[in-house]
């Protein structure tokens, strides 16, 4: 199983200059390759292959006066930029043909040097190395200090160096782990989860996990920083400093959200053999008057954490289709007598008109999600679906 481990790095001033040079060269190679592809597409010709692009925009370009400075950085970084371009075109064509699931992917676009997020990737061919004193040795950059928060389970196959919007540097390692190393002993419990805005999650046993509202709590500082940014002259160094302050505030919010969701998802996967969640129409919900709260929740990130942690621990995550009436159905008798439509969103408690059982809206939904998840799980077992499938959609 492949996993990605990310750590903060602290390059020196000279190393930051070398990284900026590598970021710029990779961006130039990517844009040169994209221009060749677009020109070929306009002429009705086939887009050049990755090997042909690499030869034209890297090998041959280094011999020209206008691109001779490409030789100052590792060739692996430039080749990876061309491969990323090839992957972007492949995803675009697969999306256009309908062979790729998910939203439609547009054709690649040019990268601007004004983009504040940069990334370059080193593979094993670059011969990067973690030294004995814990530094990351990168070709044409040097030994970079790494802030290790945990040990890597195995030797990394590649490392991506990232500079984010807040000006922080990261090293993201891809490692292959032993599937049996992180398996947890089987548990005899399962859990249905109803995600929401009033509470972040409501479990089928009635436990309600409060919503931390990371963005709402930071709004006062964000507004102040954004007002200061709006007063700065465009293109000035003071505006760039103000932009970094805004980006750092947003980074703190994102880091707090991610840390909290990691802890919650780890606890839920550790306690339960199977976890059932309901798929949500996040794109549609993000176009309503609750858009800010929807984005602040980060449900998609949380579900993806549950998904890969379930696969890693040998547990099961089952996704119940959002068309399933978890809120409207009575968990006691099964009749759909609950609140319906937009007016029903304001009803937090209701009594079933068929069996007269009084329900908490969210707890009832969690129980129904668990019941439907168990039904899907049983049907998969009857059809001899392997038990090590990490995530299944019903």
């Amino acid at each position: 199983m492949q996993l990605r481990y990310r750590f903060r790095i602290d390059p020196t001033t000279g190393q930051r200059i070398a990284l900026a040079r590598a970021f710029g060269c990779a961006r130039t190679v990517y844009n040169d390759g994209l221009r060749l592809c677009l020109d070929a597409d306009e002429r009705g010709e086939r887009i050049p292959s990755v090997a042909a692009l690499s030869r034209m925009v890297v090998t041959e370009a280094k011999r020209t006066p206008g691109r001779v400075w490409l030789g100052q950085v590792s060739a692996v970084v430039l080749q990876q930029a061309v491969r990323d371009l090839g992957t972007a075109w492949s995803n675009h064509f697969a999306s256009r043909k309908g062979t790729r699931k998910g939203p439609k992917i547009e054709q690649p676009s040019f990268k601007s040097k004004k983009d504040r997020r940069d990334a370059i990737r080193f593979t094993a061919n670059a011969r990067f190395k973690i030294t004995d004193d814990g530094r990351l040795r990168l070709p044409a950059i040097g030994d970079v200090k790494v802030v290790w928060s945990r040990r890597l389970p195995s030797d990394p196959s590649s490392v991506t160096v990232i500079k984010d919007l807040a000006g922080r540097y990261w090293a993201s390692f891809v490692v292959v782990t032993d599937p049996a190393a992180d398996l947890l002993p089987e548990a005899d419990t399962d859990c249905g989860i109803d995600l929401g805005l009033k509470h972040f999650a409501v479990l089928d046993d009635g436990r309600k996990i409060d919503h931390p509202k990371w963005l709402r709590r930071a709004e006062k500082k964000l507004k102040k920083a954004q007002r200061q940014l709006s007063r700065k002259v465009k293109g000035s160094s003071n505006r760039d400093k103000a932009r970094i302050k805004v980006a750092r505030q947003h980074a703190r919010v994102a880091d707090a959200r991610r840390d909290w969701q990691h802890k919650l998802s780890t606890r839920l996967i550790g306690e339960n053999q199977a976890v059932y969640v309901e798929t949500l129409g996040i794109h549609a919900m993000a176009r309503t008057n609750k858009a800010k709260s929807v984005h602040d929740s980060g449900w998609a990130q949380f579900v993806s954490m549950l998904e890969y942690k379930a696969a890693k621990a040998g547990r099961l995550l089952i996704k119940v289709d959002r068309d399933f009436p978890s809120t409207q159905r009575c968990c006691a008798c099964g009749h759909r007598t609950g609140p319906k439509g937009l007016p029903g969103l304001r009803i937090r408690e209701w009594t079933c008109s068929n069996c007269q059982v009084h329900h908490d809206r969210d707890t009832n939904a969690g129980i129904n999600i668990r019941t439907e998840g168990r039904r899907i799980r049983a049907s998969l077992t009857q059809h001899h679906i392997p038990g090590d499938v990490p995530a299944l959609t019903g």
Side-chain angles (χ1 to χ4, degrees):
M1 181 179 181
Q2 279 192 340
L3 292 177
R4 187 175 290 275
Y5 287 74
R6 192 176 72 160
F7 302 91
R8 282 287 298 272
I9 59 176
D10 185 20
T12 63
T13 302
Q15 291 169 346
R16 292 176 187 236
I17 295 173
L19 284 172
R21 184 185 303 119
F23 292 144
C25 290
R27 180 177 60 249
T28 299
V29 166
Y30 184 94
N31 289 340
D32 289 347
L34 179 56
R35 171 49 59 196
L36 292 175
C37 292
L38 293 177
D39 291 343
D41 190 45
E42 289 177 1
R43 295 192 300 267
E45 301 174 358
R46 188 170 183 175
I47 290 178
S49 64
V50 172
L53 282 175
S54 180
R55 183 179 65 255
M56 289 185 287
V57 301
V58 178
T59 307
E60 295 177 359
K62 288 181 180 179
R63 303 191 184 105
T64 63
R67 293 288 185 268
V68 67
W69 38 266
L70 291 177
Q72 298 177 2
V73 302
S74 172
V76 174
V77 170
L78 308 180
Q79 292 165 359
Q80 290 302 312
V82 177
R83 288 193 179 96
D84 290 341
L85 176 61
T87 302
W89 277 112
S90 299
N91 292 338
H92 167 65
F93 289 133
S95 177
R96 194 166 66 179
K97 294 177 182 177
T99 57
R100 189 182 191 279
K101 296 182 180 179
K104 183 179 178 181
I105 297 181
E106 301 295 335
Q107 70 179 24
S109 58
F110 290 100
K111 294 184 178 181
S112 171
K113 64 180 180 180
K114 294 183 179 179
D115 295 339
R116 301 300 180 178
R117 186 188 185 279
D118 294 302
I120 52 175
R121 186 164 66 255
F122 298 87
T123 60
N125 293 334
R127 297 182 181 179
F128 70 89
K129 179 183 178 182
I130 298 176
T131 63
D132 294 336
D133 58 352
R135 291 178 178 265
L136 176 61
R137 180 168 296 169
L138 299 172
I141 294 174
D143 295 352
V144 183
K145 181 180 178 182
V146 183
V147 183
W148 298 102
S149 57
R150 50 184 170 171
R151 298 184 64 180
L152 292 174
S154 63
D155 292 334
S157 59
S158 69
V159 58
T160 303
V161 179
I162 304 167
K163 180 185 178 184
D164 63 14
L165 295 173
R168 303 177 300 179
Y169 291 84
W170 303 86
S172 180
F173 298 92
V174 174
V175 299
V176 178
T177 61
D178 182 6
D182 298 310
L183 293 180
L184 297 176
E186 283 200 22
D188 55 359
T189 58
D190 56 3
C191 177
I193 305 175
D194 178 55
L195 300 174
L197 293 177
K198 183 176 177 60
H199 296 90
F200 180 83
V202 178
L203 309 186
D204 53 34
D205 58 3
R207 285 182 291 169
K208 297 183 178 181
I209 300 171
D210 291 333
H211 202 308
K213 298 181 180 179
W214 305 273
L215 182 61
R216 298 288 185 181
R217 293 188 307 185
E219 273 187 326
K220 186 175 180 180
K221 291 182 179 179
L222 276 169
K223 288 180 180 179
K224 180 179 179 181
Q226 287 170 340
R227 281 197 299 266
Q228 292 175 348
L229 173 63
S230 66
R231 298 186 182 117
K232 300 297 185 290
V233 178
K234 290 186 178 181
S236 65
S237 58
N238 283 337
R239 183 178 177 85
D240 194 51
K241 293 177 184 177
R243 180 199 60 78
I244 293 177
K245 288 183 179 180
V246 174
R248 285 177 177 172
Q249 288 292 339
H250 280 289
R252 290 190 185 100
V253 172
D255 290 345
R257 181 189 297 113
R258 189 183 304 108
D259 179 71
W260 186 87
Q261 291 183 349
H262 267 301
K263 293 175 181 176
L264 177 60
S265 58
T266 299
R267 178 163 60 88
L268 291 173
I269 293 297
E271 293 175 351
N272 301 281
Q273 183 63 29
V275 176
Y276 316 111
V277 295
E278 186 178 22
T279 59
L280 299 171
I282 298 177
H283 289 290
M285 298 173 67
R287 292 194 294 266
T288 65
N289 59 349
K290 301 292 184 181
K292 184 180 291 187
S293 297
V294 170
H295 288 299
D296 193 17
S297 298
W299 293 319
Q301 177 177 261
F302 177 68
V303 173
S304 67
M305 289 179 182
L306 291 173
E307 192 168 353
Y308 88 81
K309 289 180 182 181
K312 184 180 177 183
R315 301 294 168 88
L316 191 66
L317 175 71
I318 293 180
K319 300 177 184 178
V320 177
D321 193 87
R322 62 174 175 264
D323 292 332
F324 175 72
S326 60
T327 303
Q328 302 170 11
R329 180 175 293 183
C330 172
C331 65
C333 65
H335 282 71
R336 293 181 60 175
T337 60
K340 302 176 179 65
L342 292 177
L345 295 176
R346 292 187 289 269
I347 301 175
R348 309 313 305 174
E349 296 182 0
W350 57 280
T351 301
C352 177
S353 59
N354 182 63
C355 63
Q356 305 304 315
V357 174
H358 189 73
H359 295 293
D360 177 272
R361 174 195 179 96
D362 298 326
T363 304
N364 173 73
I367 295 174
N368 285 329
I369 292 172
R370 182 193 63 188
T371 303
E372 179 65 9
R374 286 176 175 176
R375 184 194 67 78
I376 298 172
R377 184 181 179 186
S379 65
L380 295 172
T381 304
Q382 292 174 1
H383 288 83
H384 305 286
I385 300 296
D388 58 350
V389 177
L392 299 163
T393 303

